[in-house]
Amino acid sequence: MPANSGNSKDVTIALIILLVLQTLLAVKVGVFDGLLGDTDVYMWLNRVLDLHTHGDWSNHTLSRIDPPYGYEQHWTRPYDFLLYGGAWLGSFFTDFRTSLHIWGVLISPVLEVLALFAFIWLIRPLTENSENGIAGLLFVTQMGIIASFVAGRADHQSLILLLFILSLGIGLRLLMSGFNARTCYLAALVASLAIW
């Protein structure tokens, strides 16, 4: 059996495990009953609803908390863009509010799938090709990873973790292959998104 077929089989198994774990956690959280993971998720979704209603991307204050002063959040804008973009696409099929709720449930598992492939890409220079899928299996079964990507828990930790994995992969390639201006610019872009 060629190494690539074993690798793709392991990646497929990792994806199946990821989906099973996400489904079990979604049941535990109550996602199928319309609930979300924690209070921060509701704050994220309300923040994006405010952006949709008022369109003020420079305002970080939630007016519904501690009126009349509001509460200024330190959360990252790239995650707002992801939430807003997914909800906007879904709004072609339903209203924006419903679309945002559905996307708020799905965004973390979608980012976990991307993080899985990013992790396999990260370790590729360090491992034999046949070991990449096994590493993917280990990745999706780590408690810290599972907790960061739970369905119904739309929070920016999932995006930050994905960007961290990409930063490590780019940095590793810079260390192994020497200076490359394009790779340096890519590293700066990914790192700046992670802290914006």
Side-chain angles (χ1 to χ4, degrees):
M1 175 185 283
N4 277 346
S5 79
N7 185 30
S8 63
K9 185 175 106 178
D10 290 337
V11 171
T12 303
I13 291 169
L15 284 169
I16 291 169
I17 290 171
L18 183 155
L19 292 173
V20 168
L21 287 172
Q22 285 292 346
T23 304
L24 293 172
L25 289 168
V27 169
K28 182 173 176 50
V29 168
V31 166
F32 299 111
D33 297 323
L35 301 176
L36 296 172
D38 60 28
T39 54
D40 281 358
V41 179
Y42 291 97
M43 289 177 68
W44 272 109
L45 299 186
N46 277 308
R47 177 169 145 137
V48 173
L49 278 175
D50 281 353
L51 288 172
H52 180 67
T53 305
H54 305 297
D56 188 0
W57 285 85
S58 61
N59 184 8
H60 292 268
T61 305
L62 275 178
S63 57
R64 293 176 62 185
I65 299 174
D66 191 23
Y69 309 107
Y71 174 72
E72 187 165 330
Q73 294 171 311
H74 63 281
W75 291 342
T76 56
R77 278 297 186 200
Y79 198 72
D80 291 336
F81 281 112
L82 280 180
L83 278 172
Y84 192 93
W88 177 79
L89 287 172
S91 68
F92 289 106
F93 306 101
T94 185
D95 63 284
F96 185 84
R97 189 181 192 96
T98 303
S99 175
L100 180 61
H101 179 85
I102 293 168
W103 182 232
V105 168
L106 296 176
I107 189 170
S108 289
V110 168
L111 289 173
E112 184 178 17
V113 170
L114 294 175
L116 169 63
F117 286 106
F119 181 74
I120 291 169
W121 170 78
L122 159 67
I123 65 165
R124 188 173 292 146
L126 302 174
T127 61
E128 295 292 326
N129 197 34
S130 61
E131 297 170 345
N132 293 342
I134 295 169
L137 285 168
L138 294 173
F139 178 80
V140 298
T141 55
Q142 298 303 306
M143 286 308 297
I145 299 299
I146 293 167
S148 296
F149 294 102
V150 174
R153 188 172 181 270
D155 208 341
H156 63 173
Q157 283 90 351
S158 53
L159 178 61
I160 291 170
L161 187 52
L162 171 61
L163 292 171
F164 177 69
I165 292 167
L166 291 172
S167 292
L168 286 177
I170 295 166
L172 180 63
R173 280 155 180 78
L174 277 171
L175 289 172
M176 294 180 78
S177 62
F179 178 79
N180 177 322
R182 187 179 307 167
T183 309
C184 290
Y185 290 133
L186 182 60
L189 174 66
V190 171
S192 64
L193 281 174
I195 62 171
W196 177 31

